[in-house]
Amino acid sequence: MAFPNGGLITETNRQYYAGSQGFQVEDPLGQLSFTFTFDTDLVLGSYNPTDTNYALNNFKLYQSSDGILFTEVITEYGLNNNIISFPQLSPIPYGDVIVCQLKMIDGGAYGDRDAFGMTVEENYGSYAYITLNDIINNFIVAYVGNGKLISDVKRTDVMFHAKRGLQEFSYDTLKSIKSQELTIPPSLSLAIPQDYVNYVRMSWIDAQGVKHIIHPTTLTSNPTQTPTQDNLGVPIQSNFDDNIEGTSITDERWRSQNNGIIANNLNFVQALNGGYYCGYGNGYGYYGQRYGLDPQYANVNGSFTINEREGKFSFSSDLVGSLIILEYISDGLAYELDTKVPKMAEEAMYAHILHSIISTRSNQPEYLVQRLKKESFAKLRNAKIRLSNIKIEEITQVMRGKSKWIKH
């Protein structure tokens, strides 16, 4: 269906896939305003390319007199509620075509094709989600009023429980895993992402693009405090009566260590110079070479720790310069773009809000609270099953060959 016809889809195919919408002026006197109906709100920093705020725009506006050759509009215009307006004395002439191109990776199809950005791509797949604001509005309509379980409730209360539900769902139910592609610098440290809650996995990427899991290590740890001490071992204070913090010697030693020694990844020369001996701590430093290695340290992919003092991930020395992918979870509320719920979990969210509101009110029958609790749990379980996205064909493919005999 190329055009919206009253259903939930409100964008045309051209708006969704190409990120563009155009109008041809039909008024002989010209046209001053144009209303665009993208699902994405237009953002205008400035119409002037020489203005630093111009980079804030998430679109470019083009004009053509013949509908073939387009040039960017860099004369004065304004934006309000996705309506672009031109000055009273500068209407767009009759017969001209105005096109709004949202920024996209390939730059779009108009003018110099330089509308570079990610606005269009960020909208792809959006139909699978419902916004948190719509969740709140729908809940108030369906569950609040005379003759319903909740006769009256403040919108702020519903908003609070909706946000708390989104946070809890994000940890183990929703598809809230984010990832960053980063390169490990010579400092062997990377800052924790701004919206980070917990890590899922860390991997380094080889020349073929294949992931290799980097495991956390228990051989060392990052101290949370590093007070400077005097000759008697007493922390030294500054003029402001707080301890003077120094650099961590533990961190420095770990950054300078040879990870091949700890991971049992020794070359022939290293083996001759001590690899035969019993292990780490005997003066040679080769971990477990005589009595057998410990599998938890037998890892050629490097290791990492979380440095809470500096708010960074610290990596072993063999990973310097490596390309890694950091996968982590957030709580779904860090940015406005995050505040959306998969439609497969929509009913679970309503059940969570309903139970949370009823259970926190006084003089509520306990049987009702328990019933809503069970319903909330059951709907959350259904949401997890739906979002797990298990396909029988994929399981079949994984299990092929599992019945083969393993020869020893």
Side-chain angles (χ1 to χ4, degrees):
M1 186 67 66
F3 295 94
N5 62 353
L8 295 179
I9 290 181
T10 57
E11 285 187 315
T12 65
N13 292 163
R14 185 184 180 198
Q15 287 175 298
Y16 179 78
Y17 292 106
S20 61
Q21 182 180 5
F23 300 93
Q24 185 171 25
V25 178
E26 298 178 349
D27 190 336
L29 299 178
Q31 188 170 337
L32 292 174
S33 63
F34 300 85
T35 302
F36 295 95
T37 58
F38 296 104
D39 285 345
T40 303
D41 289 332
L42 300 181
V43 177
L44 176 64
S46 174
Y47 63 86
N48 186 357
T50 62
D51 191 326
T52 54
N53 291 328
Y54 176 79
L56 300 176
N57 299 356
N58 68 348
F59 70 94
K60 286 195 175 186
L61 195 65
Y62 297 95
Q63 181 178 354
S64 173
S65 59
D66 57 7
I68 299 175
L69 298 177
F70 286 84
T71 56
E72 184 180 356
V73 178
I74 56 175
T75 55
E76 182 181 358
Y77 63 86
L79 173 67
N80 184 28
N81 293 328
N82 287 346
I83 300 175
I84 290 180
S85 303
F86 292 87
Q88 190 70 31
L89 299 178
S90 303
I92 301 301
Y94 171 76
D96 277 18
V97 177
I98 287 289
V99 172
C100 178
Q101 172 67 63
L102 299 181
K103 290 185 176 180
M104 57 191 308
I105 290 178
D106 63 6
Y110 299 94
D112 295 331
R113 299 176 179 265
D114 58 351
F116 296 110
M118 288 286 293
T119 306
V120 174
E121 286 74 16
E122 288 173 352
N123 186 49
Y124 288 160
S126 60
Y127 187 73
Y129 297 88
I130 182 172
T131 65
L132 194 63
N133 189 55
D134 286 341
I135 288 280
I136 295 170
N137 292 336
N138 294 346
F139 180 86
I140 293 175
V141 170
Y143 294 90
V144 180
N146 293 330
K148 299 178 181 179
L149 286 178
I150 303 175
S151 59
D152 184 45
V153 68
K154 294 181 179 179
R155 181 180 175 85
T156 52
D157 290 345
V158 178
M159 185 181 302
F160 169 78
H161 291 297
K163 288 185 175 182
R164 283 293 302 127
L166 181 59
Q167 284 180 301
E168 292 297 326
F169 285 18
S170 295
Y171 299 143
D172 58 6
T173 303
L174 303 183
K175 298 177 180 178
S176 58
I177 296 178
K178 297 186 174 184
S179 61
Q180 292 185 356
E181 182 182 273
L182 304 165
T183 300
I184 299 179
S187 65
L188 298 175
S189 297
L190 292 172
I192 291 177
Q194 191 173 7
D195 57 344
Y196 170 92
V197 172
N198 195 12
Y199 78 91
V200 176
R201 69 180 60 86
M202 197 92 66
S203 313
W204 69 271
I205 310 302
D206 64 19
Q208 285 72 42
V210 178
K211 295 196 302 183
H212 301 266
I213 304 299
I214 306 172
H215 295 287
T217 184
T218 58
L219 286 176
T220 190
S221 61
N222 303 105
T224 57
Q225 296 181 8
T226 56
T228 302
Q229 299 169 281
D230 60 18
N231 293 333
L232 298 178
V234 179
I236 301 173
Q237 286 73 44
S238 67
N239 294 333
F240 302 99
D241 296 334
D242 55 351
N243 290 340
I244 298 175
E245 293 286 330
T247 59
S248 171
I249 299 175
T250 302
D251 291 350
E252 292 177 357
R253 290 180 179 178
W254 181 255
R255 281 195 294 265
S256 62
Q257 56 87 16
N258 182 352
N259 193 65
I261 295 175
I262 293 178
N264 302 281
N265 185 23
L266 301 176
N267 58 36
F268 180 73
V269 175
Q270 289 172 325
L272 288 179
N273 291 332
Y276 168 78
Y277 292 92
C278 61
Y280 193 82
N282 67 347
Y284 291 91
Y286 297 102
Y287 198 92
Q289 291 297 311
R290 187 174 192 180
Y291 298 110
L293 54 83
D294 190 334
Q296 65 176 315
Y297 306 123
N299 177 24
V300 297
N301 294 327
S303 58
F304 74 93
T305 60
I306 299 178
N307 190 334
E308 300 288 355
R309 185 182 77 260
E310 298 181 358
K312 296 178 180 179
F313 293 104
S314 298
F315 297 88
S316 55
S317 57
D318 55 337
L319 288 172
V320 63
S322 297
L323 180 69
I324 70 163
I325 289 182
L326 164 62
E327 298 174 80
Y328 65 98
I329 58 173
S330 185
D331 62 358
L333 297 175
Y335 301 100
E336 184 179 1
L337 187 62
D338 293 340
T339 55
K340 56 186 182 181
V341 180
K343 291 182 178 179
M344 289 183 177
E346 182 178 356
E347 193 64 27
M349 181 64 76
Y350 294 141
H352 169 84
I353 299 172
L354 181 60
H355 168 257
S356 298
I357 292 176
I358 294 295
S359 64
T360 54
R361 290 191 168 187
S362 60
N363 301 322
Q364 295 296 322
E366 187 60 27
Y367 73 87
L368 177 61
V369 174
Q370 292 302 318
R371 192 196 83 190
L372 296 178
K373 181 178 181 181
K374 290 180 179 179
E375 288 182 1
S376 176
F377 178 79
K379 291 178 179 178
L380 178 60
R381 180 179 57 195
N382 289 341
K384 288 182 179 180
I385 295 173
R386 291 169 178 172
L387 292 171
S388 62
N389 204 24
I390 298 175
K391 301 291 189 294
I392 187 63
E393 295 84 0
E394 296 175 5
I395 296 178
T396 303
Q397 180 65 24
V398 172
M399 298 302 293
R400 293 184 191 277
K402 294 300 181 182
S403 59
K404 290 183 178 179
W405 287 57
I406 300 177
K407 296 181 180 180
H408 297 282

